[in-house]
Amino acid sequence: MNVHVCVKRVPETGARITLTPDAQAIDTTLLGFTISPHEECAIEEALRITEQHGGSTTVLTLGPPAASEQLRNALSMGIGAAVLLETDGDDWNPEETAAALAEAIRARPEPFDLLLFGNEAADSGDYQVGVRVAYTLGLPCVAGIKGIAIEEGRLTARREAGGGWEIFELPLPAVATMKEGINLPRYASLQGRLRAKKTPIERIEPQRRASGLETIRLVVPPEHQSHVEILGGAADAAPRVVEILRDLGLV
């Protein structure tokens, strides 16, 4: 099995996001970066598949030179090879990103059996790149999966649906996008981190293609508002606590 995983460099999960004054990009001045939880699960699933069936793993990302940090994180978990589609740091939209990834994957010397993505990017949540790459490569694709198995050259994938599961069977090669919770990603070992530092990262300069998508502006979702009421101190607060419990129908 030759498994490729595509990841994206995104701001640290839980970080406070602010936009540039023109609302065209995220202000990254004070942000740390990571791989989104969905993509960590995709990396873990690639490792489990090759541990079970044998084979090789490769991680790819499109981004600035600093994205090599996220590739090395994947290498330290156990991924075998890494490819950076190096850009000047400008944001590429999903259509441009998918086209560049598909071109790089086509050019790989070894054919792949399975191409894994996170279900959506943790920053933009666009849900598009994996599906667009599958369409460009002419491959079957299943999105949002929470279970995966490989047997006799076929992929069986499970996706939550209401109170049950949807089951999909796809011939290989195929594309699948993982949802967080499909597995528990492993921690990188010290040996893995040392190996990752020594592993060369292949660098490709992708050609940016014309896109029909245009970013008008970015909007940060409103923060959830919470209300705090101080009831008093020590025993003085007891009558008010009882009153609130009665209002809630708990006593």
Side-chain angles (χ1 to χ4, degrees), residues 2-236:
N2 185 5
V3 184
H4 290 357
V5 186
C6 295
V7 302
K8 183 183 180 184
R9 180 177 186 259
V10 298
E12 288 278 4
T13 306
R16 187 181 184 89
I17 301 299
T18 58
L19 303 179
T20 54
D22 61 2
Q24 293 297 303
I26 295 173
D27 185 353
T28 61
T29 306
L30 301 176
L31 289 179
F33 288 86
T34 187
I35 299 170
S36 76
H38 300 285
E39 292 163 348
E40 286 183 329
C41 290
I43 291 170
E44 174 64 27
E45 205 61 36
L47 294 171
R48 294 187 183 191
I49 289 170
T50 53
E51 287 169 355
Q52 180 180 358
H53 300 280
S56 61
T57 53
T58 302
V59 62
L60 304 94
T61 193
L62 181 144
S68 59
E69 177 186 357
Q70 281 66 53
L71 294 178
R72 294 203 185 278
N73 288 342
L75 291 170
S76 68
M77 291 173 67
I79 294 292
V83 180
L84 173 61
L85 283 65
E86 190 171 329
T87 69
D88 59 4
D90 285 347
D91 284 337
W92 288 36
N93 67 40
E95 186 178 4
E96 296 166 333
T97 300
L101 286 171
E103 184 175 351
I105 291 166
R106 276 201 193 103
R108 303 300 299 160
E110 296 288 336
F112 70 91
D113 299 290
L114 187 59
L115 180 56
L116 301 180
F117 290 80
N119 195 54
E120 76 267 10
D123 54 352
S124 56
D126 47 46
Y127 298 83
Q128 294 187 41
V129 174
V131 177
R132 286 181 178 274
V133 169
Y135 179 81
T136 302
L137 296 177
L139 296 175
C141 175
V142 59
I145 69 172
K146 294 287 287 287
I148 190 170
I150 306 292
E151 187 175 354
E152 297 181 354
R154 297 186 68 83
L155 163 70
T156 301
R158 294 188 305 160
R159 182 169 68 193
E160 289 180 322
W165 296 91
E166 293 177 330
I167 309 295
F168 300 86
E169 289 189 359
L170 287 73
L172 297 178
V175 178
T177 73
M178 313 283 107
K179 289 198 73 173
E180 183 181 7
I182 188 174
N183 55 46
L184 182 63
R186 67 194 67 187
Y187 289 103
S189 65
L190 177 59
Q191 183 181 7
R193 293 186 184 280
L194 293 174
R195 183 183 68 86
K197 289 183 178 180
K198 299 177 181 178
T199 303
I201 293 177
E202 181 181 347
R203 295 174 185 266
I204 298 173
E205 186 176 341
Q207 297 300 312
R208 196 165 190 169
R209 298 186 178 183
S211 171
L213 299 176
E214 178 185 359
T215 299
I216 305 301
R217 65 187 177 95
L218 302 179
V219 177
V220 177
E223 295 185 5
H224 177 70
Q225 299 294 321
S226 59
H227 175 73
V228 176
E229 181 181 352
I230 299 175
L231 302 179
D236 294 339

